[in-house]
C-alpha cells in the first residue's frame, strides 16, 4: 500500500554553483539541467511524462515550451529548502498512484533577487510588524543563531563541537571539484576565528548563497533497471511541519525531523543503525546537530558530543554530506536542498569517485 | 529630536489593539473566551479552537528570554550603528504561546543568557509608535 520501492532515482544532473551564472536566464539554466538529466537517465524527452518543479522564476509550465515535454502530470512544490526532497517524494507518490512513469524533478534559482531579503517563505506582514523593527540579522542567519544559542545554553553545546561539522564537511568538499570550497581545507581554529555573523554563529558555520540548478529523474521501479545507472530506490518517505516562524516552534530545539524521520524509517522497515550514509540539510552547523538528534542517531542534547566523537567524513564512521554539504559546496538557493538528493543518488549509483562510500545499502536524506 | 530612521510597524485592523496597548504602556495580547487560550501574534481566530470570540487582556510584562543572538550583521543598514545588540525571543510568563521577537536592552553581552528573567520596556520610538522591548528583571 505504501510507496516503498515503487520508484527509483535513475538519473541526475547538477550545475556547478557560481555567484553569478553569467549570460543565462533562469529558464535557460533550468532547461539545460533538465536536458542533461533526461540524457543521464538514458531517456529522451518524449519519455518524460511527469514534471515536478521548484523554480524561483515560475510555474512548471515555464519549462514546457523550452523543453518541449508534455507531461500528464505536472506539479509545483514550494517547500523552500525541503523542495528537492519533497519533489522526489511527490514524484514517487505520483508514480505509485499511476499518474506518470518517468518524472523529472527540477529545482532552480534565477538571480539573488529571487530570494526574499528576509529569507524565503516568511510572511511579509509578520516580518514588517513583528521582526523588522527589532533589527533582525541578514537573511536566515539570525533564526538559526537563535537555535544555536539556546542549544548552547540548555545543553552546553560548544562552539568547537559546532565547528567540527564545518571542518568535516570541508574535508568532504576536497574530493568534490564542483564544490565552491574545493581547494580550501580548514581546521577548527579557522572556523572559531572567522567573522561573527550572529552570536554564536560565525561565517564559516553559514552557507554561501549562490546560483544554480539541479535535477533528478524518478522512474517506475520496474523500468529503473533498463537505464544506464544503478537505481537508487525510494524506500521510505516522511514529511512534517511544525511552524512557520521559528519563534512559534513548540520547542525550538526539536525539529520536524523527529516526526518525519520516524515515518520514513517505518515505511522503509529500517532504522538509524541501518544507515550507511546521511545527507542532512546543513544551512548552518547547528542544523546538522539537531538533525542527528531528531533522526535518532543520538539523544536530544547530545548532538554536540556526537559530532565531536564521530567522523562525518566520506571515509569516516558516519559519512555525512559527502559532497561537502551546503556549507562547503555552497547553497545555490532552492537547489541547495536538492544537492543533498543529488549527492545521495550519485553515491547510491556508485558515481561518487574519490569520495565514494564503499558499502551503501541505505542512505538517509533530509531536506 | 532626530528623525527615527529604523523600520516601524504598520498595524493592520487585527493587530491594531496590540500596538495601541503598547503606546499606552499597558500591553495587551489575545486570549480566547471559550478555551482561555493565550496566543501571539494577533490573529482573527484562536489557533487552538478557531473561535473568533477573543478578548484583549493586559499582561504582567514579565517573561523570560527563550533565546537570543547578538547581532553583528543586521539585515538593514539602519541598525549598524547599534551593533552589537541583542535580538531575542522573549516568552511572556502567562503562556508559552506568547513568544515574540524583540530586543533586550540594558544588559551586558556577558550576562545575557537563555532563561534570563526579563520585564517589558516600552520604547516610544516616534510620536505614533511604541516598540515592545525588554530589560533584565
Amino acid at each position: 500500500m505504501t510507496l516503498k520501492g515503487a520508484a527509483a532515482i535513475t538519473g541526475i544532473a547538477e550545475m556547478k554553483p557560481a555567484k553569478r551564472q553569467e549570460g543565462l536566464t533562469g529558464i535557460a539554466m533550468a532547461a539545460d539541467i533538465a536536458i542533461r538529466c533526461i540524457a543521464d537517465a538514458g531517456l529522451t524527452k518524449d519519455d518524460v511524462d511527469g514534471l515536478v518543479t521548484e523554480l524561483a522564476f515560475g510555474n512548471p509550465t515555464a519549462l514546457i515550451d523550452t523543453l518541449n515535454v508534455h507531461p500528464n502530470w505536472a506539479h509545483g512544490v514550494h517547500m523552500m529548502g525541503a523542495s528537492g526532497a519533497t519533489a522526489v517524494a511527490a514524484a514517487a507518490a505520483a508514480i505509485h498512484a499511476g499518474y506518470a512513469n518517468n518524472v523529472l524533478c527540477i529545482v532552480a534559482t534565477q538571480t539573488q533577487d529571487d530570494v526574499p531579503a528576509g529569507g524565503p517563505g516568511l510572511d511579509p506582514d509578520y516580518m514588517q510588524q513583528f521582526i523588522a523593527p527589532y533589527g533582525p540579522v541578514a537573511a536566515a542567519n539570525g533564526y538559526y543563531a537563535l537555535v544555536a544559542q539556546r542549544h548552547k545554553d540548555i545543553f552546553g553545546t560548544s562552539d568547537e563541537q559546532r565547528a567540527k561539522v564545518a571542518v568535516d564537511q570541508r574535508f568532504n568538499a576536497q574530493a568534490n571539484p564542483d564544490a565552491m570550497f574545493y581547494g580550501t581545507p580548514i581546521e577548527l581554529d579557522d572556523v572559531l576565528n572567522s567573522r561573527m555573523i550572529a552570536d554564536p554563529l560565525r561565517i564559516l558555520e553559514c552557507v554561501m548563497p549562490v546560483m544554480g540548478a539541479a535535477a533528478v529523474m524518478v522512474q517506475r521501479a520496474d523500468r529503473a533497471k533498463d537505464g544506464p545507472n544503478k537505481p537508487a530506490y525510494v524506500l521510505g518517505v516522511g514529511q512534517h511541519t511544525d511552524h512557520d516562524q521559528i519563534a512559534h516552534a513548540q520547542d525550538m530545539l526539536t525539529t520536524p525531523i523527529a516526526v518525519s524521520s520516524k515515518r520514513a524509517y517505518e515505511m522503509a522497515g529500517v532504522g538509524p543503525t541501518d544507515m550507511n550514509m546521511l545527507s542532512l540539510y546543513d544551512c548552518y552547523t547547528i542544523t546538522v546537530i539537531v538533525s542527528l538528534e531528531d533522526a535518532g542517531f543520538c539523544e536530544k542534547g547530545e548532538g554536540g558530543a556526537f559530532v565531536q566523537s564521530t567522523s562525518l567524513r566520506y571515509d569516516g564512521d558516519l559519512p555525512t554530506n559527502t559532497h561537502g554539504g551546503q556549507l562547503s559546496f555552497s547553497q545555490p538557493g532552492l537547489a541547495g536542498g536538492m544537492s543533498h538528493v543529488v549527492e545521495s543518488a550519485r553515491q547510491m549509483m556508485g558515481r561518487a569517485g574519490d569520495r565514494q562510500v564503499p558499502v551503501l545499502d541505505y542512505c538517509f536524506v533530509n531536506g | 529630536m532626530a528623525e527615527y530612521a529604523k523600520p516601524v510597524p504598520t498595524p493592520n485592523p487585527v493587530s491594531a489593539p496590540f500596538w495601541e496597548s503598547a503606546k499606552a504602556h499597558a500591553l495587551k495580547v489575545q486570549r480566547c473566551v471559550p478555551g482561555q487560550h493565550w496566543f501571539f501574534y494577533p490573529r482573527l481566530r484562536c489557533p487552538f479552537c478557531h473561535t473568533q470570540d477573543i478578548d484583549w487582556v493586559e499582561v504582567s510584562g514579565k517573561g523570560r528570554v527563550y533565546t537570543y543572538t547578538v547581532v553583528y550583521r543586521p539585515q538593514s543598514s539602519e541598525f549598524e550603528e547599534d551593533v552589537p545588540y541583542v535580538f531575542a525571543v522573549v516568552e511572556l510568563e502567562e503562556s508559552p504561546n506568547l513568544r515574540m521577537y524583540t530586543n533586550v536592552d540594558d544588559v551586558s553581552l556577558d550576562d545575557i543568557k537563555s532563561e534570563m528573567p526579563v520585564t517589558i520596556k516600552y520604547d516610544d520610538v516616534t510620536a505614533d509608535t511604541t516598540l515592545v522591548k525588554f530589560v533584565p528583571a
Side-chain angles (χ1 to χ4, degrees):
Chain A
M1 185 57 205
T2 73
L3 58 73
K4 176 180 177 180
I9 298 174
T10 58
I12 56 175
E14 189 166 46
M15 203 165 188
K16 187 176 154 101
K19 288 203 158 172
R20 306 259 177 278
Q21 300 284 4
E22 295 298 347
L24 291 175
T25 63
I27 289 186
M29 258 173 33
D32 184 64
I33 288 302
I35 288 164
R36 282 172 39 192
C37 186
I38 294 169
D40 192 74
L43 298 175
T44 71
K45 66 172 179 57
D46 296 328
D47 295 316
V48 177
D49 62 355
L51 183 63
V52 182
T53 66
E54 163 72 288
L55 304 173
F57 48 84
N59 300 314
T61 51
L63 288 179
I64 296 299
D65 294 336
T66 309
L67 290 183
N68 200 17
V69 297
H70 305 283
N72 293 322
W73 186 76
H75 181 131
V77 298
H78 303 286
M79 296 302 291
M80 296 170 282
S83 294
T86 298
V88 171
I95 288 166
H96 184 56
Y99 297 163
N101 301 301
N102 307 316
V103 184
L104 177 64
C105 301
I106 171 155
V107 182
T109 62
Q110 182 174 14
T111 67
Q112 193 60 30
D113 295 336
D114 289 314
V115 181
L122 297 181
D123 174 358
D125 188 62
Y126 187 109
M127 280 288 289
Q128 65 85 8
Q129 277 196 82
F130 303 112
I131 300 181
Y134 301 104
V137 187
N141 299 322
Y143 306 107
Y144 291 95
L146 294 171
V147 175
Q149 190 62 58
R150 185 168 169 87
H151 208 276
K152 191 174 176 183
D153 287 344
I154 302 293
F155 298 127
T157 304
S158 69
D159 298 333
E160 289 79 7
Q161 288 169 338
R162 287 195 329 272
K164 168 117 176 343
V165 173
V167 170
D168 281 359
Q169 311 293 218
R170 185 62 67 95
F171 174 87
N172 291 343
Q174 303 319 304
N176 183 2
D178 283 348
M180 288 289 286
F181 294 100
Y182 174 70
T184 50
I186 55 175
E187 304 285 339
L188 270 183
D189 279 345
D190 296 312
V191 183
L192 297 171
N193 295 328
S194 66
R195 179 157 53 100
M196 184 69 83
I197 300 295
D199 197 0
L201 292 181
R202 295 176 181 274
I203 196 163
L204 288 182
E205 300 185 66
C206 308
V207 291
M208 174 189 282
V210 297
M211 305 291 105
V216 299
M217 182 68 69
V218 182
Q219 285 191 263
R220 235 174 68 184
D222 60 353
R223 300 184 180 191
K225 284 199 182 63
D226 300 339
N229 298 308
K230 183 175 166 207
Y233 293 97
V234 177
L235 299 178
V237 170
Q239 200 206 64
H240 189 66
T241 305
D242 180 78
H243 56 269
D244 182 36
Q245 287 295 340
I246 200 142
H248 305 305
Q250 291 183 64
D251 168 10
M252 202 188 270
L253 302 180
T254 298
T255 74
I257 295 167
V259 174
S260 62
S261 63
K262 287 191 178 61
R263 293 176 64 82
Y265 288 137
E266 191 179 311
M267 186 185 290
V270 296
T273 53
D274 298 304
M275 299 298 117
N276 304 114
M277 174 189 155
L278 313 182
S279 284
L280 301 177
Y281 197 94
D282 64 333
C283 42
Y284 302 91
T285 51
I286 188 64
T287 63
V288 174
I289 287 174
V290 293
S291 300
L292 287 164
E293 294 169 350
D294 293 339
F297 293 94
C298 62
E299 296 296 313
K300 176 51 63 182
E302 291 178 10
F306 184 85
V307 297
Q308 192 159 43
S309 61
T310 307
S311 171
L312 306 176
R313 297 177 169 192
Y314 58 82
D315 60 357
D317 312 307
L318 189 56
T320 298
N321 293 336
T322 55
H323 62 316
Q326 293 180 68
L327 284 170
S328 284
F329 173 76
S330 77
Q331 183 177 74
L334 302 160
M338 190 56 135
S339 79
H340 297 285
V341 176
V342 170
E343 176 69 359
S344 302
R346 183 184 286 123
Q347 285 276 4
M348 296 298 291
M349 291 171 175
R351 294 162 66 185
D354 292 338
R355 59 189 191 270
Q356 183 67 48
V357 174
V359 175
L360 204 40
D361 296 323
Y362 300 105
C363 179
F364 179 98
V365 186
N366 177 65
Chain B
M1 167 169 133
E3 194 173 320
Y4 187 69
K6 299 185 171 97
V8 290
T10 302
N12 57 48
V14 176
S15 70
F18 173 80
W19 292 113
E20 279 155 23
S21 73
K23 199 167 159 190
H25 291 204
L27 195 72
K28 291 183 178 176
V29 296
Q30 289 171 303
R31 188 180 67 198
C32 80
V33 173
Q36 296 285 287
H37 300 120
W38 296 94
F39 56 92
F40 183 81
Y41 56 101
R43 301 151 161 98
L44 268 177
R45 291 182 181 272
C46 168
F48 300 99
C49 43
H50 290 177
T51 180
Q52 287 188 290
D53 187 11
I54 300 168
D55 286 333
W56 284 93
V57 182
E58 190 171 340
V59 290
S60 71
K62 296 202 185 70
R64 63 192 172 104
V65 174
Y66 185 76
T67 186
Y68 73 95
T69 182
V70 180
V71 182
Y72 288 85
R73 271 201 83 186
Q75 171 87 13
S76 330
S77 55
E78 299 95 339
F79 289 92
E80 264 152 31
E81 63 187 10
D82 302 322
V83 165
Y85 59 91
V86 175
F87 178 80
V89 174
V90 164
E91 182 179 298
L92 298 181
E93 67 174 359
E94 285 81 359
S95 168
N97 298 312
L98 295 177
R99 285 197 210 135
M100 51 189 70
Y101 295 103
T102 184
N103 299 120
V104 180
D105 289 347
D106 306 341
V107 66
S108 91
L109 300 184
D110 293 323
D111 291 339
I112 180 79
K113 212 158 169 60
S114 302
E115 303 297 302
M116 170 186 260
V118 290
T119 189
I120 276 188
K121 169 187 135 173
Y122 294 101
D123 193 353
D124 302 321
V125 296
T126 72
D128 297 316
T129 301
T130 298
L131 295 180
V132 178
K133 299 184 182 180
F134 293 83
V135 293

